[in-house]
Amino acid sequence: MKLATRYILVLILGMFVGAVIILDMGVLAEREGSKDTLAPLPLDELRTFTEVFSRIKADYVEPVSDKKLLEDAVQGMLAGLDPHSAYLDATSFKDMRVETEGKFGGLGIEVTMENGFVKVVSPIEDTPAARAGIKPGDLVIRLDEKAVKGLTLTEAVRLMRGKPGTDITLTIVREGVSKPLKITLTRAVIKIQSVKSRLLEPGFGYVRITQFQSGTEKGLAEVVRKLETENKGALRGMVLDLRNNPGGVLNAAVGVSDAFLDKGLIVYTEGRVEDSRMRKSAVPGDLINGAPMVVLINGGSASASEIVAGALQDHRRAVIMGTKSFGKGSVQTIVPISNGAALKITTARYYTPNGRSIQASGIEPDIITEEARLTKSETADRLKEADLARHLENGDEPLKKKAEPKKEDNQNDKKKDETGKAPAVEDYQLQEALNLLKGITFFRAQGS
């Protein structure tokens, strides 16, 4: 073995021995009296690593610094574990912290890695990606002229971010479309309004959560109070819309679940390390006093959204409607390290109160309702008996001619409301949710 190779091997052995000792000391502290010993170091694999390292240093077409090679090795270790573990350099770590506060620059898409390509989990509402028609499940294969294959998720995300006002072209493969799509987006500062609301009809509220952030629970309480004020009384039912919500902060999901539950387990996690195991339970208090709920989900509902849907489903607090959710049931822990960077590493799986793992399986709706668009029937203006000349009156009193709707009213029906979603009449899933709420309310009233 060459001197340089031996030197590198000694350095790396030192690094690995230190890491193993620190980890094992933690394990021994938890297991008093354990006779566990340190596992033997994988010397053959470490020797292979050093040989590759020295070969790159000696033969690669351009000089490569030790720092870059070692950072790339760290990135490769994490990227090889699962699609969600990653090495965050100082810049990426800072961006991640900004995102959880609800304001950042970029395109507005939640992404993961699949088979070496960037897969869209969900476009974020009211962002360049959503306005351009990016859909959950889209595979991004090129960013401008840069092929995505071979990039880490962190590198791909960094390419998508940039100065607001600048353009980037995404080449996308979409299921059901024979040719790749090229979509040009203009980067913008993404400001996310986490909670939006409106009254669907007197007594029935609609709340949409676009992403779970540190202030989501507080925002939910505020919009419910606003709806009750607008309704001039308590709500008779509520639709909670989690469609295309990519997730976010775990504690926010727990808080939203707790807002509608009086007691019981909300979520629990299981991992190898003691710190990764936790149980979150509800405390007394229901924001809408037990009024019936329907939760809307789809393939873009992931992570924290699935925690909320799973908890409310298991406790039979809400009817889950829509299509199967994304299926991200793992917990990532951010571990800052000494150089200002951080590790995002998967440390646990989370489970619903009934012990269901959502990982790679998702939440199955109680009522499957596919996405569709409602339009007014062409038969709505058919001729009726009352329209016929010299028609026979009904004998009680002359029929009053119904006032014609104003043109402005028709135009307003087509506009989107303040939630950013189309009115219920154009949203089949939402209309079905409202119809179900009315039915539940009716039968509750009949039984009381």
Side-chain angles (χ1 to χ4, degrees):
M1 186 184 292
K2 294 181 181 179
L3 181 61
T5 305
R6 289 177 181 170
Y7 175 67
I8 294 165
L9 179 58
V10 169
L11 282 177
I12 293 173
L13 283 175
M15 291 163 55
F16 274 84
V17 168
V20 171
I21 289 174
I22 292 169
L23 175 60
D24 200 62
M25 284 175 65
V27 173
L28 291 175
E30 293 169 8
R31 304 177 185 175
E32 285 189 35
S34 172
K35 295 183 180 180
D36 292 348
T37 57
L38 291 174
L41 290 169
L43 293 178
D44 289 341
E45 287 76 12
L46 289 173
R47 186 176 293 108
T48 300
F49 180 88
T50 59
E51 288 176 2
V52 172
F53 188 99
S54 60
R55 182 59 61 189
I56 293 172
K57 289 287 293 181
D59 298 348
Y60 188 66
V61 65
E62 294 177 351
V64 187
S65 69
D66 290 349
K67 179 181 178 182
K68 174 172 172 52
L69 284 176
L70 290 172
E71 281 191 353
D72 288 349
V74 171
Q75 289 176 352
M77 276 194 288
L78 288 156
L81 297 173
D82 62 65
H84 309 293
S85 296
Y87 174 76
L88 306 175
D89 61 23
T91 302
S92 300
F93 184 27
K94 181 181 177 182
D95 290 343
M96 184 275 301
R97 285 179 292 182
V98 171
E99 284 181 27
T100 61
E101 296 169 5
K103 180 179 177 180
F104 57 96
L107 304 177
I109 46 178
E110 181 79 10
V111 295
T112 185
M113 291 296 286
E114 184 174 285
N115 299 324
F117 297 110
V118 172
K119 182 176 183 178
V120 176
V121 174
S122 178
I124 299 171
E125 204 168 285
D126 299 327
T127 64
R131 288 190 287 270
I134 302 295
K135 296 182 178 182
D138 284 349
L139 285 179
V140 182
I141 60 172
R142 297 188 79 86
L143 298 167
D144 283 334
E145 298 304 315
K146 182 80 171 178
V148 169
K149 192 79 170 178
L151 297 178
T152 65
L153 184 60
T154 302
E155 289 170 336
V157 169
R158 187 175 295 150
L159 286 173
M160 287 188 279
R161 289 183 177 151
K163 187 177 179 181
T166 59
D167 291 345
I168 183 171
T169 298
L170 274 58
T171 304
I172 285 172
V173 174
R174 179 175 295 168
E175 187 176 356
V177 179
S178 58
K179 295 182 179 179
L181 304 172
K182 287 196 173 185
I183 302 175
T184 299
L185 300 92
T186 302
R187 296 181 180 93
V189 174
I190 309 299
K191 296 179 182 179
I192 300 173
Q193 184 181 344
S194 178
V195 188
K196 303 176 181 183
S197 67
R198 74 173 188 266
L199 274 181
L200 295 171
E201 289 184 8
F204 296 98
Y206 170 85
V207 174
R208 169 154 180 77
I209 299 178
T210 59
Q211 194 173 33
F212 288 91
Q213 301 167 355
S214 54
T216 299
E217 183 182 359
K218 180 181 177 182
L220 173 64
E222 289 173 354
V223 300
V224 169
R225 285 194 295 269
K226 178 183 173 184
L227 287 172
E228 290 176 337
T229 300
E230 187 180 346
N231 189 55
K232 298 179 182 178
L235 297 175
R236 298 167 60 201
M238 193 180 87
V239 176
L240 178 62
D241 191 350
L242 301 179
R243 291 174 296 179
N244 294 328
N245 180 323
V249 179
L250 175 63
N251 285 340
V254 171
V256 168
S257 303
D258 192 6
F260 303 108
L261 295 172
D262 274 322
K263 61 181 180 179
L265 188 63
I266 293 172
V267 65
Y268 69 95
T269 62
E270 293 287 349
R272 293 172 60 206
V273 182
E274 186 65 33
D275 288 347
S276 67
R277 301 171 198 142
M278 67 165 193
R279 299 175 71 86
K280 297 286 186 178
S281 298
V283 297
D286 184 333
L287 206 55
I288 56 174
N289 300 313
M293 287 180 66
V294 174
V295 177
L296 289 173
I297 62 171
N298 65 3
S301 307
S303 192
S305 298
E306 295 170 297
I307 289 175
V308 175
L312 297 181
Q313 186 178 51
D314 281 4
H315 285 287
R316 299 181 181 273
R317 177 62 187 87
V319 177
I320 311 301
M321 179 180 280
T323 56
K324 188 176 178 181
S325 64
F326 182 77
K328 183 188 177 292
S330 60
V331 179
Q332 282 68 49
T333 301
I334 306 298
V335 184
I337 54 179
S338 57
N339 65 351
L343 305 182
K344 183 173 77 166
I345 185 168
T346 300
T347 54
R349 291 182 178 88
Y350 66 72
Y351 298 83
T352 71
N354 288 350
R356 292 183 294 159
S357 172
I358 298 164
Q359 178 59 29
S361 60
I363 295 288
E364 291 281 357
D366 299 309
I367 300 175
I368 296 176
T369 310
E370 297 292 342
E371 186 177 352
R373 184 181 181 86
L374 287 178
T375 57
K376 290 185 178 180
S377 171
E378 294 179 0
T379 65
D381 296 324
R382 278 181 177 172
L383 201 64
K384 300 178 179 65
E385 171 73 13
D387 298 320
L388 298 176
R390 300 181 305 281
H391 66 270
L392 186 66
E393 300 294 344
N394 73 354
D396 291 332
E397 60 180 56
L399 293 171
K400 295 179 180 179
K401 190 173 181 180
K402 188 176 180 182
E404 291 293 328
K406 296 180 181 179
K407 287 185 179 180
E408 305 89 55
D409 294 336
N410 293 332
Q411 290 173 351
N412 288 336
D413 285 343
K414 296 178 182 178
K415 292 180 180 178
K416 289 187 176 182
D417 58 32
E418 63 178 4
T419 66
K421 300 294 287 184
V425 71
E426 295 183 7
D427 186 335
Y428 175 68
Q429 291 173 321
L430 179 54
Q431 185 64 55
E432 288 298 290
L434 177 58
N435 290 339
L436 179 60
L437 276 182
K438 289 179 178 178
I440 294 171
T441 304
F442 173 79
F443 282 106
R444 279 192 180 185
Q446 295 297 309
S448 60

